[in-house]
Amino acid sequence: DTGVSQNPRHKITKRGQNVTFRCDPISEHNRLYWYRQTLGQGPEFLTYFQNEAQLEKSRLLSDRFSAERPKGSFSTLEIQRTEQGDSAMYLCASSLDLYPYEQYFGPGTRLTVT
Amino acid sequence: GDSVTQMEGPVTLSEEAFLTINCTYTATGYPSLFWYVQYPGEGLQLLLKATKADDKGSNKGFEATYRKETTSFHLEKGSVQVSDSAVYFCALRLSGAGSYQLTFGKGTKLSVIP
């Protein structure tokens, strides 16, 4: 049983560019979550999916951010027109659709915007 | 709103010392409570959980008891090892339909010296 995987692990981009991250959840997990973690802070919730449906979005998820999970398997998180404030670790997690919905995290994608 | 407060780090202990990391929460109802651990360069790993008052979660020698009366979920270990050096995060998930996101504390960095 493989865990949650994320690609790329690191991304350096220039301000104003678009970036896309990918998350592959644990295969039988139908819930998928995105979080953002900045240095010295705990992860902050961005959005989550149940199968292909995006059911909740945080106010942190500005219009420049979009997430998809087209076939209910992998998910992508795109940031358009990146800003220096977007520099962070982006974490993906998945869970079964079963109480208490234990979430298992991937290694994260570290984004640096220069 | 819901929130998690952890004791500030960093915490430095000698090997075999007793560990306590305090965690208190603010939330309505009966949230599920979790401890996650993040080793250097790795993603968050679920360490233990508790879903109702007086439940004790335990794993790898770590324990935490869900105390509703004090809204606390303190992490303890009787004898720490160098390999326990990591950042520890306390988190909650609200009870009730539609609440699946985790709310995290800021994390407590633990360093164990030989």
Side-chain angles (χ1 to χ4, degrees), chain A residues 26-40:
Chain A
I26 294 172
S27 58
E28 63 268 27
H29 287 185
N30 60 351
R31 290 184 183 269
L32 186 147
Y33 312 79
W34 285 98
Y35 293 81
R36 182 172 69 186
Q37 184 179 20
T38 53
L39 199 60

PDB file of all heavy atoms in Angstrom, chain A residues 26-40:
ATOM      1  N   ILE A  26      -3.898   7.852  -1.499  1.00  0.00           N
ATOM      2  CA  ILE A  26      -3.936   6.412  -1.262  1.00  0.00           C
ATOM      3  C   ILE A  26      -5.115   5.859  -2.065  1.00  0.00           C
ATOM      4  O   ILE A  26      -6.199   6.462  -2.083  1.00  0.00           O
ATOM      5  CB  ILE A  26      -4.070   6.121   0.237  1.00  0.00           C
ATOM      6  CG1 ILE A  26      -2.801   6.596   0.956  1.00  0.00           C
ATOM      7  CG2 ILE A  26      -4.336   4.645   0.499  1.00  0.00           C
ATOM      8  CD1 ILE A  26      -2.873   6.554   2.461  1.00  0.00           C
ATOM      9  N   SER A  27      -4.915   4.743  -2.716  1.00  0.00           N
ATOM     10  CA  SER A  27      -5.821   4.314  -3.785  1.00  0.00           C
ATOM     11  C   SER A  27      -7.280   4.162  -3.360  1.00  0.00           C
ATOM     12  O   SER A  27      -8.171   4.522  -4.109  1.00  0.00           O
ATOM     13  CB  SER A  27      -5.320   3.009  -4.401  1.00  0.00           C
ATOM     14  OG  SER A  27      -5.227   2.012  -3.422  1.00  0.00           O
ATOM     15  N   GLU A  28      -7.559   3.671  -2.184  1.00  0.00           N
ATOM     16  CA  GLU A  28      -8.960   3.466  -1.818  1.00  0.00           C
ATOM     17  C   GLU A  28      -9.592   4.669  -1.117  1.00  0.00           C
ATOM     18  O   GLU A  28     -10.754   4.624  -0.714  1.00  0.00           O
ATOM     19  CB  GLU A  28      -9.100   2.224  -0.923  1.00  0.00           C
ATOM     20  CG  GLU A  28      -8.395   2.312   0.396  1.00  0.00           C
ATOM     21  CD  GLU A  28      -6.976   1.766   0.354  1.00  0.00           C
ATOM     22  OE1 GLU A  28      -6.364   1.797  -0.729  1.00  0.00           O
ATOM     23  OE2 GLU A  28      -6.489   1.337   1.412  1.00  0.00           O
ATOM     24  N   HIS A  29      -8.830   5.737  -0.966  1.00  0.00           N
ATOM     25  CA  HIS A  29      -9.343   6.924  -0.273  1.00  0.00           C
ATOM     26  C   HIS A  29     -10.132   7.804  -1.242  1.00  0.00           C
ATOM     27  O   HIS A  29      -9.606   8.220  -2.276  1.00  0.00           O
ATOM     28  CB  HIS A  29      -8.192   7.730   0.322  1.00  0.00           C
ATOM     29  CG  HIS A  29      -7.583   7.096   1.515  1.00  0.00           C
ATOM     30  ND1 HIS A  29      -6.598   7.722   2.262  1.00  0.00           N
ATOM     31  CD2 HIS A  29      -7.815   5.903   2.122  1.00  0.00           C
ATOM     32  CE1 HIS A  29      -6.260   6.954   3.276  1.00  0.00           C
ATOM     33  NE2 HIS A  29      -6.981   5.837   3.207  1.00  0.00           N
ATOM     34  N   ASN A  30     -11.373   8.099  -0.905  1.00  0.00           N
ATOM     35  CA  ASN A  30     -12.150   8.944  -1.809  1.00  0.00           C
ATOM     36  C   ASN A  30     -12.234  10.400  -1.348  1.00  0.00           C
ATOM     37  O   ASN A  30     -12.815  11.230  -2.038  1.00  0.00           O
ATOM     38  CB  ASN A  30     -13.553   8.365  -2.027  1.00  0.00           C
ATOM     39  CG  ASN A  30     -14.342   8.252  -0.743  1.00  0.00           C
ATOM     40  OD1 ASN A  30     -13.812   8.438   0.349  1.00  0.00           O
ATOM     41  ND2 ASN A  30     -15.624   7.960  -0.869  1.00  0.00           N
ATOM     42  N   ARG A  31     -11.649  10.717  -0.211  1.00  0.00           N
ATOM     43  CA  ARG A  31     -11.579  12.132   0.205  1.00  0.00           C
ATOM     44  C   ARG A  31     -10.145  12.602   0.071  1.00  0.00           C
ATOM     45  O   ARG A  31      -9.200  11.896   0.451  1.00  0.00           O
ATOM     46  CB  ARG A  31     -12.058  12.298   1.649  1.00  0.00           C
ATOM     47  CG  ARG A  31     -13.556  12.079   1.794  1.00  0.00           C
ATOM     48  CD  ARG A  31     -14.033  12.348   3.206  1.00  0.00           C
ATOM     49  NE  ARG A  31     -15.449  12.056   3.321  1.00  0.00           N
ATOM     50  CZ  ARG A  31     -16.413  12.944   3.117  1.00  0.00           C
ATOM     51  NH1 ARG A  31     -16.093  14.195   2.808  1.00  0.00           N
ATOM     52  NH2 ARG A  31     -17.677  12.606   3.239  1.00  0.00           N
ATOM     53  N   LEU A  32     -10.000  13.824  -0.461  1.00  0.00           N
ATOM     54  CA  LEU A  32      -8.676  14.398  -0.709  1.00  0.00           C
ATOM     55  C   LEU A  32      -8.681  15.842  -0.261  1.00  0.00           C
ATOM     56  O   LEU A  32      -9.628  16.582  -0.526  1.00  0.00           O
ATOM     57  CB  LEU A  32      -8.328  14.292  -2.205  1.00  0.00           C
ATOM     58  CG  LEU A  32      -6.922  14.718  -2.631  1.00  0.00           C
ATOM     59  CD1 LEU A  32      -6.460  13.867  -3.822  1.00  0.00           C
ATOM     60  CD2 LEU A  32      -6.831  16.179  -2.944  1.00  0.00           C
ATOM     61  N   TYR A  33      -7.604  16.252   0.414  1.00  0.00           N
ATOM     62  CA  TYR A  33      -7.530  17.576   1.048  1.00  0.00           C
ATOM     63  C   TYR A  33      -6.237  18.277   0.619  1.00  0.00           C
ATOM     64  O   TYR A  33      -5.203  17.633   0.457  1.00  0.00           O
ATOM     65  CB  TYR A  33      -7.496  17.437   2.578  1.00  0.00           C
ATOM     66  CG  TYR A  33      -8.543  16.512   3.162  1.00  0.00           C
ATOM     67  CD1 TYR A  33      -8.369  15.131   3.125  1.00  0.00           C
ATOM     68  CD2 TYR A  33      -9.684  17.017   3.779  1.00  0.00           C
ATOM     69  CE1 TYR A  33      -9.316  14.271   3.669  1.00  0.00           C
ATOM     70  CE2 TYR A  33     -10.631  16.162   4.328  1.00  0.00           C
ATOM     71  CZ  TYR A  33     -10.441  14.797   4.265  1.00  0.00           C
ATOM     72  OH  TYR A  33     -11.389  13.956   4.810  1.00  0.00           O
ATOM     73  N   TRP A  34      -6.320  19.599   0.505  1.00  0.00           N
ATOM     74  CA  TRP A  34      -5.130  20.409   0.297  1.00  0.00           C
ATOM     75  C   TRP A  34      -4.968  21.379   1.482  1.00  0.00           C
ATOM     76  O   TRP A  34      -5.948  21.978   1.949  1.00  0.00           O
ATOM     77  CB  TRP A  34      -5.238  21.229  -0.989  1.00  0.00           C
ATOM     78  CG  TRP A  34      -5.056  20.445  -2.254  1.00  0.00           C
ATOM     79  CD1 TRP A  34      -6.029  19.938  -3.076  1.00  0.00           C
ATOM     80  CD2 TRP A  34      -3.814  20.096  -2.869  1.00  0.00           C
ATOM     81  NE1 TRP A  34      -5.473  19.292  -4.146  1.00  0.00           N
ATOM     82  CE2 TRP A  34      -4.120  19.386  -4.050  1.00  0.00           C
ATOM     83  CE3 TRP A  34      -2.473  20.320  -2.545  1.00  0.00           C
ATOM     84  CZ2 TRP A  34      -3.126  18.889  -4.909  1.00  0.00           C
ATOM     85  CZ3 TRP A  34      -1.489  19.833  -3.389  1.00  0.00           C
ATOM     86  CH2 TRP A  34      -1.816  19.124  -4.555  1.00  0.00           C
ATOM     87  N   TYR A  35      -3.707  21.507   1.918  1.00  0.00           N
ATOM     88  CA  TYR A  35      -3.350  22.433   2.986  1.00  0.00           C
ATOM     89  C   TYR A  35      -2.130  23.223   2.547  1.00  0.00           C
ATOM     90  O   TYR A  35      -1.359  22.794   1.691  1.00  0.00           O
ATOM     91  CB  TYR A  35      -2.986  21.681   4.278  1.00  0.00           C
ATOM     92  CG  TYR A  35      -4.127  20.943   4.949  1.00  0.00           C
ATOM     93  CD1 TYR A  35      -4.531  19.681   4.510  1.00  0.00           C
ATOM     94  CD2 TYR A  35      -4.796  21.501   6.037  1.00  0.00           C
ATOM     95  CE1 TYR A  35      -5.567  19.009   5.125  1.00  0.00           C
ATOM     96  CE2 TYR A  35      -5.834  20.821   6.669  1.00  0.00           C
ATOM     97  CZ  TYR A  35      -6.210  19.588   6.199  1.00  0.00           C
ATOM     98  OH  TYR A  35      -7.239  18.918   6.818  1.00  0.00           O
ATOM     99  N   ARG A  36      -1.925  24.347   3.208  1.00  0.00           N
ATOM    100  CA  ARG A  36      -0.723  25.143   2.993  1.00  0.00           C
ATOM    101  C   ARG A  36      -0.033  25.337   4.345  1.00  0.00           C
ATOM    102  O   ARG A  36      -0.707  25.606   5.354  1.00  0.00           O
ATOM    103  CB  ARG A  36      -1.060  26.504   2.389  1.00  0.00           C
ATOM    104  CG  ARG A  36       0.142  27.369   2.102  1.00  0.00           C
ATOM    105  CD  ARG A  36      -0.257  28.606   1.326  1.00  0.00           C
ATOM    106  NE  ARG A  36      -1.055  29.524   2.126  1.00  0.00           N
ATOM    107  CZ  ARG A  36      -1.623  30.624   1.639  1.00  0.00           C
ATOM    108  NH1 ARG A  36      -1.507  30.903   0.358  1.00  0.00           N
ATOM    109  NH2 ARG A  36      -2.316  31.410   2.416  1.00  0.00           N
ATOM    110  N   GLN A  37       1.285  25.196   4.339  1.00  0.00           N
ATOM    111  CA  GLN A  37       2.053  25.349   5.574  1.00  0.00           C
ATOM    112  C   GLN A  37       3.196  26.327   5.339  1.00  0.00           C
ATOM    113  O   GLN A  37       4.034  26.110   4.461  1.00  0.00           O
ATOM    114  CB  GLN A  37       2.609  24.002   6.035  1.00  0.00           C
ATOM    115  CG  GLN A  37       3.337  24.057   7.368  1.00  0.00           C
ATOM    116  CD  GLN A  37       3.859  22.706   7.811  1.00  0.00           C
ATOM    117  OE1 GLN A  37       4.016  21.779   7.014  1.00  0.00           O
ATOM    118  NE2 GLN A  37       4.125  22.562   9.106  1.00  0.00           N
ATOM    119  N   THR A  38       3.229  27.389   6.122  1.00  0.00           N
ATOM    120  CA  THR A  38       4.337  28.328   6.063  1.00  0.00           C
ATOM    121  C   THR A  38       5.268  28.067   7.241  1.00  0.00           C
ATOM    122  O   THR A  38       4.893  27.400   8.217  1.00  0.00           O
ATOM    123  CB  THR A  38       3.840  29.776   6.080  1.00  0.00           C
ATOM    124  OG1 THR A  38       2.969  29.955   7.213  1.00  0.00           O
ATOM    125  CG2 THR A  38       3.076  30.100   4.817  1.00  0.00           C
ATOM    126  N   LEU A  39       6.471  28.603   7.146  1.00  0.00           N
ATOM    127  CA  LEU A  39       7.521  28.302   8.119  1.00  0.00           C
ATOM    128  C   LEU A  39       7.082  28.652   9.539  1.00  0.00           C
ATOM    129  O   LEU A  39       6.599  29.758   9.797  1.00  0.00           O
ATOM    130  CB  LEU A  39       8.779  29.079   7.747  1.00  0.00           C
ATOM    131  CG  LEU A  39      10.086  28.564   8.343  1.00  0.00           C
ATOM    132  CD1 LEU A  39      10.347  27.135   7.884  1.00  0.00           C
ATOM    133  CD2 LEU A  39      11.242  29.478   7.967  1.00  0.00           C
ATOM    134  N   GLY A  40       7.201  27.699  10.426  1.00  0.00           N
ATOM    135  CA  GLY A  40       6.883  27.933  11.825  1.00  0.00           C
ATOM    136  C   GLY A  40       5.405  27.880  12.165  1.00  0.00           C
ATOM    137  O   GLY A  40       5.021  28.186  13.297  1.00  0.00           O
TER     138      GLY A  40
END
